[in-house]
Amino acid sequence: MLVAIVDHLLEQGLSGASLRPIAAAIGTNARMLIYHFNSRDELIEAAIAEARRRHLEALVGWAEHDKGSAKDGLSRFWSWASSRRVEPYVRLSVEAEILAAQGSSNLKKIAAGMLGDWIDVIESRLPPSLPVQRRRAAATAIAAGFRGLLIDLAVTGERTRVNAAAHELASRMV
């Protein structure tokens, strides 16, 4: 059931997500969702946690197979993060971050973990010559920049301009 809910939310997003439409989309009813998840908020939290798990699995898989120089690693990371395959996860992640900022402490933990996942992978792509005290700050700045650019891309669809900006950001950070 959770797999189907996550698939639905990846396709439709969180905006306006309520029990009846989710239930109808996955072939059940709202009472069954309440039975399994207790509330809409707990359902959303469980779905976001599962989406994070899937995204992290893909992220770690990408990182393990990514080869090449550290300098080019950030550009390769951007290409992966901005791909159409990853786009639904990024969109859902951004929506979860906005909801987390508005309240739910459980969602805040999940959203913070999603951001931390990106920061960890980006930090691993930074050149070893970067001083240790700058690594985490640089990875955080790059993650924030990339996430902002992903929102720009989702809103404008201007892939050429946004890709150029991402590569410029990556080149200035290393």
Side-chain angles (χ1 to χ4, degrees):
M1 181 181 289
L2 186 57
V3 169
I5 293 168
V6 172
D7 291 344
H8 173 73
L9 293 176
L10 286 169
E11 187 178 308
Q12 298 299 315
L14 292 174
S15 179
S18 60
L19 291 175
R20 284 187 180 93
I22 292 171
I26 67 167
T28 190
N29 61 56
R31 276 189 266 151
M32 286 303 292
L33 294 179
I34 293 295
Y35 174 79
H36 287 287
F37 298 100
N38 298 318
S39 70
R40 176 200 173 270
D41 289 346
E42 288 185 37
L43 177 145
I44 297 297
E45 289 168 7
I48 297 300
E50 173 60 16
R52 176 192 177 201
R53 186 200 62 74
R54 287 188 200 179
H55 184 64
L56 180 58
E57 187 177 280
L59 181 61
V60 168
W62 173 85
E64 287 175 351
H65 293 97
D66 182 56
K67 304 292 182 226
S69 72
K71 187 169 186 169
D72 294 335
L74 292 175
S75 290
R76 289 189 307 276
F77 178 76
W78 169 258
S79 295
W80 176 82
S82 64
S83 70
R84 298 214 192 285
R85 184 174 55 93
V86 176
E87 182 181 324
Y89 291 95
V90 171
R91 186 181 58 245
L92 194 63
S93 172
V94 169
E95 288 182 292
E97 291 163 17
I98 291 167
L99 286 176
Q102 295 172 345
S104 168
S105 61
N106 288 340
L107 207 47
K108 281 184 182 184
K109 290 176 191 170
I110 297 166
M114 293 168 140
L115 292 170
D117 297 340
W118 273 49
I119 292 166
D120 291 344
V121 168
I122 291 169
E123 187 173 8
S124 75
R125 293 293 169 267
L126 295 176
S129 60
L130 192 66
V132 173
Q133 62 273 21
R134 285 196 52 220
R135 293 183 75 77
R136 196 71 175 170
T140 300
I142 293 166
F146 278 1
R147 292 182 78 75
L149 289 168
L150 286 165
I151 293 168
D152 184 334
L153 180 60
V155 170
T156 67
E158 296 178 23
R159 192 166 289 277
T160 301
R161 177 184 59 81
V162 175
N163 282 344
H167 295 298
E168 180 68 20
L169 174 63
S171 72
R172 289 177 182 264
M173 294 304 293
V174 291

